[in-house]
PDB file of all heavy atoms in Angstrom:
ATOM      1  N   THR A 216     -29.685  -6.699  -2.967  1.00 96.00           N
ATOM      2  CA  THR A 216     -28.760  -7.119  -4.034  1.00 96.00           C
ATOM      3  C   THR A 216     -28.623  -8.644  -3.980  1.00 96.00           C
ATOM      4  O   THR A 216     -28.727  -9.240  -2.903  1.00 96.00           O
ATOM      5  CB  THR A 216     -27.344  -6.514  -3.860  1.00 96.00           C
ATOM      6  OG1 THR A 216     -26.739  -7.094  -2.702  1.00 96.00           O
ATOM      7  CG2 THR A 216     -27.366  -5.017  -3.693  1.00 96.00           C
ATOM      8  N   ALA A 217     -28.371  -9.214  -5.135  1.00 95.00           N
ATOM      9  CA  ALA A 217     -28.208 -10.670  -5.169  1.00 95.00           C
ATOM     10  C   ALA A 217     -26.841 -11.092  -4.635  1.00 95.00           C
ATOM     11  O   ALA A 217     -26.699 -12.147  -4.031  1.00 95.00           O
ATOM     12  CB  ALA A 217     -28.389 -11.186  -6.594  1.00 95.00           C
ATOM     13  N   LEU A 218     -25.838 -10.239  -4.857  1.00 93.00           N
ATOM     14  CA  LEU A 218     -24.477 -10.630  -4.471  1.00 93.00           C
ATOM     15  C   LEU A 218     -24.098 -10.180  -3.072  1.00 93.00           C
ATOM     16  O   LEU A 218     -23.204 -10.751  -2.458  1.00 93.00           O
ATOM     17  CB  LEU A 218     -23.470 -10.059  -5.478  1.00 93.00           C
ATOM     18  CG  LEU A 218     -23.509 -10.681  -6.875  1.00 93.00           C
ATOM     19  CD1 LEU A 218     -22.490  -9.994  -7.778  1.00 93.00           C
ATOM     20  CD2 LEU A 218     -23.234 -12.182  -6.832  1.00 93.00           C
ATOM     21  N   GLY A 219     -24.726  -9.126  -2.592  1.00 93.00           N
ATOM     22  CA  GLY A 219     -24.446  -8.677  -1.228  1.00 93.00           C
ATOM     23  C   GLY A 219     -23.247  -7.746  -1.109  1.00 93.00           C
ATOM     24  O   GLY A 219     -22.954  -7.256  -0.026  1.00 93.00           O
ATOM     25  N   THR A 220     -22.529  -7.529  -2.189  1.00 95.00           N
ATOM     26  CA  THR A 220     -21.396  -6.594  -2.138  1.00 95.00           C
ATOM     27  C   THR A 220     -21.400  -5.725  -3.395  1.00 95.00           C
ATOM     28  O   THR A 220     -22.117  -5.999  -4.356  1.00 95.00           O
ATOM     29  CB  THR A 220     -20.042  -7.331  -2.074  1.00 95.00           C
ATOM     30  OG1 THR A 220     -19.958  -8.211  -3.182  1.00 95.00           O
ATOM     31  CG2 THR A 220     -19.884  -8.092  -0.776  1.00 95.00           C
ATOM     32  N   PHE A 221     -20.587  -4.680  -3.357  1.00 97.00           N
ATOM     33  CA  PHE A 221     -20.575  -3.704  -4.457  1.00 97.00           C
ATOM     34  C   PHE A 221     -19.251  -3.639  -5.189  1.00 97.00           C
ATOM     35  O   PHE A 221     -19.200  -3.283  -6.358  1.00 97.00           O
ATOM     36  CB  PHE A 221     -20.934  -2.306  -3.914  1.00 97.00           C
ATOM     37  CG  PHE A 221     -22.357  -2.218  -3.428  1.00 97.00           C
ATOM     38  CD1 PHE A 221     -22.690  -2.627  -2.147  1.00 97.00           C
ATOM     39  CD2 PHE A 221     -23.357  -1.766  -4.266  1.00 97.00           C
ATOM     40  CE1 PHE A 221     -24.003  -2.572  -1.708  1.00 97.00           C
ATOM     41  CE2 PHE A 221     -24.678  -1.714  -3.838  1.00 97.00           C
ATOM     42  CZ  PHE A 221     -25.004  -2.114  -2.555  1.00 97.00           C
ATOM     43  N   TYR A 222     -18.172  -3.969  -4.482  1.00 97.00           N
ATOM     44  CA  TYR A 222     -16.857  -3.703  -5.058  1.00 97.00           C
ATOM     45  C   TYR A 222     -16.621  -4.453  -6.357  1.00 97.00           C
ATOM     46  O   TYR A 222     -15.968  -3.961  -7.265  1.00 97.00           O
ATOM     47  CB  TYR A 222     -15.750  -4.041  -4.034  1.00 97.00           C
ATOM     48  CG  TYR A 222     -15.549  -5.517  -3.817  1.00 97.00           C
ATOM     49  CD1 TYR A 222     -14.528  -6.209  -4.474  1.00 97.00           C
ATOM     50  CD2 TYR A 222     -16.385  -6.239  -2.972  1.00 97.00           C
ATOM     51  CE1 TYR A 222     -14.345  -7.563  -4.293  1.00 97.00           C
ATOM     52  CE2 TYR A 222     -16.211  -7.596  -2.782  1.00 97.00           C
ATOM     53  CZ  TYR A 222     -15.205  -8.253  -3.450  1.00 97.00           C
ATOM     54  OH  TYR A 222     -15.037  -9.601  -3.275  1.00 97.00           O
ATOM     55  N   GLN A 223     -17.196  -5.672  -6.459  1.00 97.00           N
ATOM     56  CA  GLN A 223     -16.910  -6.476  -7.656  1.00 97.00           C
ATOM     57  C   GLN A 223     -17.609  -5.924  -8.897  1.00 97.00           C
ATOM     58  O   GLN A 223     -17.278  -6.301 -10.012  1.00 97.00           O
ATOM     59  CB  GLN A 223     -17.240  -7.959  -7.435  1.00 97.00           C
ATOM     60  CG  GLN A 223     -18.700  -8.330  -7.501  1.00 97.00           C
ATOM     61  CD  GLN A 223     -19.426  -8.091  -6.193  1.00 97.00           C
ATOM     62  OE1 GLN A 223     -19.287  -7.041  -5.583  1.00 97.00           O
ATOM     63  NE2 GLN A 223     -20.219  -9.034  -5.769  1.00 97.00           N
ATOM     64  N   ARG A 224     -18.546  -4.991  -8.704  1.00 97.00           N
ATOM     65  CA  ARG A 224     -19.192  -4.369  -9.864  1.00 97.00           C
ATOM     66  C   ARG A 224     -18.187  -3.523 -10.659  1.00 97.00           C
ATOM     67  O   ARG A 224     -18.407  -3.248 -11.831  1.00 97.00           O
ATOM     68  CB  ARG A 224     -20.330  -3.467  -9.418  1.00 97.00           C
ATOM     69  CG  ARG A 224     -21.492  -4.208  -8.780  1.00 97.00           C
ATOM     70  CD  ARG A 224     -22.589  -3.213  -8.481  1.00 97.00           C
ATOM     71  NE  ARG A 224     -23.672  -3.802  -7.700  1.00 97.00           N
ATOM     72  CZ  ARG A 224     -24.714  -3.120  -7.261  1.00 97.00           C
ATOM     73  NH1 ARG A 224     -24.803  -1.827  -7.512  1.00 97.00           N
ATOM     74  NH2 ARG A 224     -25.659  -3.713  -6.572  1.00 97.00           N
ATOM     75  N   GLY A 225     -17.124  -3.107 -10.006  1.00 98.00           N
ATOM     76  CA  GLY A 225     -16.120  -2.296 -10.702  1.00 98.00           C
ATOM     77  C   GLY A 225     -15.592  -2.986 -11.946  1.00 98.00           C
ATOM     78  O   GLY A 225     -15.362  -2.353 -12.979  1.00 98.00           O
ATOM     79  N   ALA A 226     -15.445  -4.302 -11.854  1.00 97.00           N
ATOM     80  CA  ALA A 226     -14.865  -5.074 -12.966  1.00 97.00           C
ATOM     81  C   ALA A 226     -15.654  -4.873 -14.253  1.00 97.00           C
ATOM     82  O   ALA A 226     -15.076  -4.831 -15.347  1.00 97.00           O
ATOM     83  CB  ALA A 226     -14.825  -6.549 -12.591  1.00 97.00           C
ATOM     84  N   SER A 227     -16.963  -4.723 -14.132  1.00 97.00           N
ATOM     85  CA  SER A 227     -17.764  -4.613 -15.360  1.00 97.00           C
ATOM     86  C   SER A 227     -17.580  -3.265 -16.044  1.00 97.00           C
ATOM     87  O   SER A 227     -18.020  -3.068 -17.168  1.00 97.00           O
ATOM     88  CB  SER A 227     -19.241  -4.872 -15.054  1.00 97.00           C
ATOM     89  OG  SER A 227     -19.686  -4.003 -14.048  1.00 97.00           O
ATOM     90  N   TYR A 228     -16.944  -2.316 -15.350  1.00 98.00           N
ATOM     91  CA  TYR A 228     -16.657  -1.018 -15.985  1.00 98.00           C
ATOM     92  C   TYR A 228     -15.164  -0.862 -16.284  1.00 98.00           C
ATOM     93  O   TYR A 228     -14.737   0.182 -16.777  1.00 98.00           O
ATOM     94  CB  TYR A 228     -17.103   0.133 -15.073  1.00 98.00           C
ATOM     95  CG  TYR A 228     -18.564   0.046 -14.706  1.00 98.00           C
ATOM     96  CD1 TYR A 228     -18.963  -0.434 -13.476  1.00 98.00           C
ATOM     97  CD2 TYR A 228     -19.534   0.417 -15.631  1.00 98.00           C
ATOM     98  CE1 TYR A 228     -20.305  -0.542 -13.163  1.00 98.00           C
ATOM     99  CE2 TYR A 228     -20.879   0.305 -15.328  1.00 98.00           C
ATOM    100  CZ  TYR A 228     -21.259  -0.177 -14.087  1.00 98.00           C
ATOM    101  OH  TYR A 228     -22.578  -0.294 -13.789  1.00 98.00           O
ATOM    102  N   GLY A 229     -14.390  -1.869 -15.904  1.00 98.00           N
ATOM    103  CA  GLY A 229     -12.942  -1.726 -16.042  1.00 98.00           C
ATOM    104  C   GLY A 229     -12.349  -0.855 -14.951  1.00 98.00           C
ATOM    105  O   GLY A 229     -11.317  -0.203 -15.136  1.00 98.00           O
TER     106      GLY A 229
END
Side-chain angles (χ1 to χ4, degrees):
Chain A
T216 68
L218 291 178
T220 56
F221 293 84
Y222 73 98
Q223 78 277 47
R224 294 184 188 177
S227 55
Y228 303 101

